[in-house]
């Protein structure tokens, strides 16, 4: 099948909003730490003070943009570290600041998840356009490198109608790739568009699985420009609505400047930033979990809410929960994060864990063979659990923890034992861990610890008697008994034989024994 190579462009009015995000910061302490969001756009200005590092301290080396792929000008350079992050249009940098900007130097315009890390994927040129092929190349690169850079969410503030859209959006190649990103473990947030009328949500926001975002004005009514569903297949879109009008964020190539933009382009990275907060609260969440929680905790708005739009037939349906103007409604950050955090245990913010290990200049805990991470906890817990933030990892128990104490250690060897079975990562280098305390049916907020593994050789524990298995102890007993018996026979030979004895009293008798230990299970 031949598909038309249409063009995709920026919905050039862009995004973010305040939806109780400050309450999340204050009540849970979550700021997006431990998560990585890909900005698939025009690039990211890696020199801007709000985007160049995590702690805004020039004496440390903790880069915020940890990888950059340029599908426009250098598609052959694919490892993500060959090109310094840049933006020759400005749209992507503005979006990046909404998602995860620190707000430096004045901290007036802080992003939704200021401690999240970013990956820049440049698929739009200096004019704000890119072909279907180029956009899909960037999306595929993001999927291919999701394990390496721990990419758990992505923001795409781009879209446009290819001619094939008029037949079937699901046949469109970009839509299929967008659905594939969701299934691969990356929560994909896509702008609804700025067409301002009904049935104008195009590729790739019309894809079935993705989280399509409409734009609100700051009074929470729908923005006049926000595109509305349904899609060509009659699917209700958008999924959610986030503030996108008059959003202040990073102004590219200014080092310290900020500027205002409006559009669903700006709403989308704000919602992606909330996704990063939710993933910090619960790294187990799938992209579909994120979407469902955001939808179910949103405040539903009828189409004609605050006279921002004309009434629609859905307004007459009792207890309706979705329409083609607001989707499921106005996103609420704190309920979304609390629901995310409480999927397995109830979140108890009175419990806390604190890192006591020293940080190096890169703000990482460096671990070599024999080293450990050390923590303090606010009160004794029943268990302490940890996991890497790798997509395929799961929680493990720190078995050495004494539940009557308030100190915790996690060894280099235990970390290697867990990580070496995960796909797509190199053990040496940067890793991100989440650690929590469990007491009854409640859990502390997750503590995120960034580490640098400085070698993969595990420490060999010396074996004492108490460390030997039952089989090993039995083997030693048998060998010892045999030695004693043979020694006795030797003594008897000396006594009973004249001149022809085999053993002599002055001979040194030795026996070689092999210790057979249990194999690792």
């Amino acid at each position: 099948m031949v598909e038309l190579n249409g063009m995709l462009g920026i919905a050039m009015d862009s995004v973010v909003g305040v939806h109780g995000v400050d309450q999340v910061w204050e009540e849970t302490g979550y700021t997006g730490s431990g998560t990585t969001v890909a900005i698939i756009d025009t690039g990211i200005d890696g020199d801007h003070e709000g985007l160049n590092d995590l702690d805004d301290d020039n004496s440390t080396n903790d880069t915020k943009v940890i990888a950059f792929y340029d599908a426009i000008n250098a598609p052959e350079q694919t490892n993500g570290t060959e090109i310094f992050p840049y933006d020759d249009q400005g749209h992507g940098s503005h979006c990046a600041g909404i998602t995860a900007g620190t707000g430096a130097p004045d901290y007036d315009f802080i992003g939704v998840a200021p401690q999240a890390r970013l990956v820049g994927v440049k698929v739009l040129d200096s004019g704000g356009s890119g072909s279907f092929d180029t956009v899909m190349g960037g999306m595929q690169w993001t999927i291919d490198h999701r394990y390496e850079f721990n990419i758990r969410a992505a923001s795409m503030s781009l879209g446009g109608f290819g001619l094939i859209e008029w037949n079937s959006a699901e046949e469109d190649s970009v839509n299929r790739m967008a659905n594939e990103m969701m299934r691969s473990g990356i929560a994909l947030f896509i702008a609804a568009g700025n067409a301002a009328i009904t049935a104008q949500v195009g590729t790739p926001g019309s894809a079935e699985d993705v989280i399509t975002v409409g734009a609100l004005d700051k009074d929470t009514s729908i923005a006049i420009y926000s595109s509305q569903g349904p899609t060509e297949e009659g699917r209700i879109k958008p999924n959610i609505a986030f503030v996108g009008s008059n959003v202040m964020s990073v102004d590219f190539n200014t080092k310290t400047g900020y500027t205002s933009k409006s559009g669903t382009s700006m709403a989308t990275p704000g919602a992606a930033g909330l996704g990063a907060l939710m993933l910090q609260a619960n790294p187990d969440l799938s992209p579909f979990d994120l979407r469902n929680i955001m939808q179910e905790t949103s405040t539903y708005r009828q189409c004609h809410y605050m006279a921002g739009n004309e009434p629609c037939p859905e307004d007459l349906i009792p207890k309706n929960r979705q329409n083609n103007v607001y989707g499921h409604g106005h996103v609420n950050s704190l309920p979304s994060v609390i629901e995310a955090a409480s999927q397995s245990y109830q979140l108890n913010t009175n419990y806390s864990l604190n890192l006591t290990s020293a940080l190096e200049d890169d703000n990482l805990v460096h671990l070599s063979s024999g080293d450990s991470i050390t923590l303090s906890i606010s009160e004794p817990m029943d268990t302490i659990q940890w996991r890497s933030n790798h997509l395929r990892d799961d929680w493990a128990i720190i078995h050495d923890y004494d539940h009557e104490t308030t100190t915790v250690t996690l060894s280099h060897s235990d970390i290697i034992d867990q990580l070496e079975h995960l796909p797509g990562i190199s053990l040496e280098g940067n890793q991100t861990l989440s650690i929590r305390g469990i007491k009854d049916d409640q859990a502390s907020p997750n503590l995120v610890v960034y580490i640098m593994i400085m070698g993969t050789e595990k420490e060999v524990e010396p074996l004492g008697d108490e460390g030997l298995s039952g089989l090993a102890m039995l083997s030693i007993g048998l060998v010892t008994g045999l030695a004693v018996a043979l020694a006795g026979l030797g003594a008897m030979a000396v006594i009973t034989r004249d001149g022809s004895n085999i053993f002599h009293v002055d001979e040194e008798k030795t026996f070689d024994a092999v210790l057979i230990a249990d194999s690792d299970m």
Side-chain angles (χ1 to χ4, degrees):
M1 180 179 66
V2 177
E3 296 187 354
L4 297 178
N5 197 21
M7 299 298 289
L8 295 175
I10 298 168
M12 191 45 236
D13 353 359
S14 296
V15 106
V16 117
V18 179
H19 290 253
V21 173
D22 54 341
Q23 293 178 322
V24 175
W25 297 343
E26 292 168 6
E27 295 191 25
T28 69
Y30 292 141
T31 56
S33 184
T35 61
T36 303
V37 180
I39 304 297
I40 304 175
D41 210 290
T42 64
I44 299 176
D45 178 6
D47 278 328
H48 194 283
E49 287 194 19
L51 299 173
N52 60 4
D53 67 1
L54 289 172
D55 65 358
D56 299 318
D57 182 349
N58 291 332
S59 67
T60 61
N61 181 25
D62 52 353
T63 304
K64 176 178 282 290
V65 185
I66 59 174
F68 188 83
Y69 174 59
D70 186 352
I72 294 288
N73 298 311
E76 73 285 354
Q77 298 185 28
T78 60
N79 71 13
T81 60
E82 298 160 302
I83 302 171
F84 186 81
Y86 77 98
D87 186 354
D88 54 8
Q89 205 281 340
H91 186 267
S93 298
H94 197 271
C95 292
I98 290 167
T99 296
T102 65
D106 298 326
Y107 304 101
D108 292 326
F109 310 113
I110 299 173
V112 174
Q115 289 302 299
R117 286 176 163 160
L118 296 171
V119 167
V121 183
K122 181 174 175 59
V123 297
L124 302 177
D125 60 24
S126 59
S129 296
S131 70
F132 283 176
D133 286 345
T134 302
V135 172
M136 286 192 298
M139 296 167 76
Q140 185 63 57
W141 183 92
T142 305
I143 293 172
D144 293 343
H145 291 79
R146 66 195 187 281
Y147 294 139
E148 182 179 358
F149 301 116
N150 189 34
I151 302 170
R152 301 297 305 274
S155 174
M156 285 180 58
S157 291
L158 53 84
F161 278 93
L163 293 182
I164 197 167
E165 180 78 20
W166 296 100
N167 274 332
S168 172
E170 294 309 312
E171 290 298 315
D172 181 79
S173 53
V174 182
N175 279 22
R176 293 199 307 272
M177 182 68 77
N179 289 333
E180 177 60 26
M181 286 186 72
M182 288 284 288
R183 290 191 291 269
S184 72
I186 301 171
L188 181 56
F189 297 80
I190 300 181
N194 302 317
I197 55 176
T198 300
Q200 291 297 308
V201 177
T203 302
S206 57
E208 180 177 6
D209 293 337
V210 304
I211 307 167
T212 307
V213 186
L216 302 174
D217 289 334
K218 289 189 177 180
D219 64 0
T220 73
S221 65
I222 196 69
I224 191 172
Y225 51 78
S226 187
S227 291
Q228 302 174 18
T231 67
E232 289 297 307
E233 298 79 16
R235 186 177 301 120
I236 296 176
K237 286 283 183 175
N239 296 85
I240 54 176
F242 209 90
V243 173
S245 296
N246 303 312
V247 179
M248 292 292 293
S249 185
V250 166
D251 190 7
F252 79 121
N253 296 342
T254 65
K255 298 285 189 180
T256 61
Y258 289 79
T259 189
S260 175
K261 295 182 186 293
S262 297
T264 57
S265 290
M266 281 57 249
T268 303
L274 175 56
L277 299 179
M278 295 168 67
L279 286 164
Q280 182 182 0
N282 186 352
D284 293 333
L285 296 177
S286 73
F288 299 97
D289 292 330
L290 280 182
R291 186 188 67 190
N292 293 340
I293 291 171
M294 283 188 179
Q295 290 178 167
E296 292 305 313
T297 57
S298 292
T299 300
Y300 178 69
R301 306 295 194 195
Q302 291 186 324
C303 296
H304 64 278
Y305 171 71
M306 294 185 68
N309 191 75
E310 67 275 6
C312 59
E314 294 96 323
D315 292 345
L316 301 177
I317 303 174
K319 298 183 179 179
N320 189 46
R321 281 293 298 151
Q322 186 179 14
N323 59 52
N324 284 301
V325 177
Y326 290 88
H328 286 264
H330 172 110
V331 171
N332 295 305
S333 298
L334 185 59
S336 294
V337 171
I338 295 298
E339 178 64 24
S342 302
Q343 293 286 291
S344 299
Y345 298 93
Q346 291 298 310
L347 179 67
N348 188 332
T349 57
N350 292 318
Y351 301 154
S352 63
L353 286 75
N354 294 287
L355 180 68
T356 55
S357 294
L359 298 177
E360 302 297 330
D361 288 344
D362 53 10
N363 273 347
L364 305 175
V365 178
H366 289 195
L367 294 176
S368 299
S369 179
D371 293 338
S372 295
I373 298 169
T374 58
L375 310 167
S376 65
I377 52 180
S378 56
E379 59 184 87
M381 296 280 124
D382 294 340
T383 58
I384 304 296
Q385 297 180 343
W386 76 279
R387 58 162 289 165
S388 76
N389 282 16
H390 187 283
L391 282 166
R392 296 286 181 87
D393 205 359
D394 203 352
W395 293 97
I397 294 173
I398 300 180
H399 293 285
D400 292 338
Y401 169 65
D402 180 349
H403 67 269
E404 296 181 352
T405 69
T406 58
T407 58
V408 183
T409 60
L410 175 59
S411 72
H412 169 276
S413 294
D414 285 343
I415 294 170
I416 295 297
D417 281 339
Q418 180 95 340
L419 298 185
E420 63 186 358
H421 304 293
L422 298 175
I425 63 170
S426 172
L427 288 177
E428 288 194 275
N430 295 357
Q431 305 289 346
T432 303
L433 309 182
S434 290
I435 307 174
R436 67 185 181 187
I438 306 295
K439 193 169 188 178
D440 298 324
D441 63 347
Q442 299 182 330
S444 69
N446 295 335
L447 173 68
V448 173
V449 180
Y450 293 112
I451 65 173
M452 171 74 77
I453 296 180
M454 311 290 287
T456 60
E457 183 177 351
K458 303 173 195 175
E459 182 181 25
V460 178
E461 296 287 343
L463 285 178
D465 287 348
E466 70 280 0
L468 296 175
S469 68
L471 179 58
M473 294 297 293
L474 177 61
S475 300
I476 292 174
L478 290 173
V479 171
T480 302
L482 179 62
V484 170
L486 290 175
L489 289 173
M492 290 176 62
V494 171
I495 295 171
T496 58
R497 293 188 180 185
D498 287 330
S500 61
N501 55 306
I502 299 173
F503 296 114
H504 300 280
V505 174
D506 57 350
E507 284 182 342
E508 181 180 354
K509 291 176 278 294
T510 61
F511 300 91
D512 292 327
V514 178
L515 178 63
I516 305 173
D518 286 334
S519 61
D520 292 335
M521 300 297 292

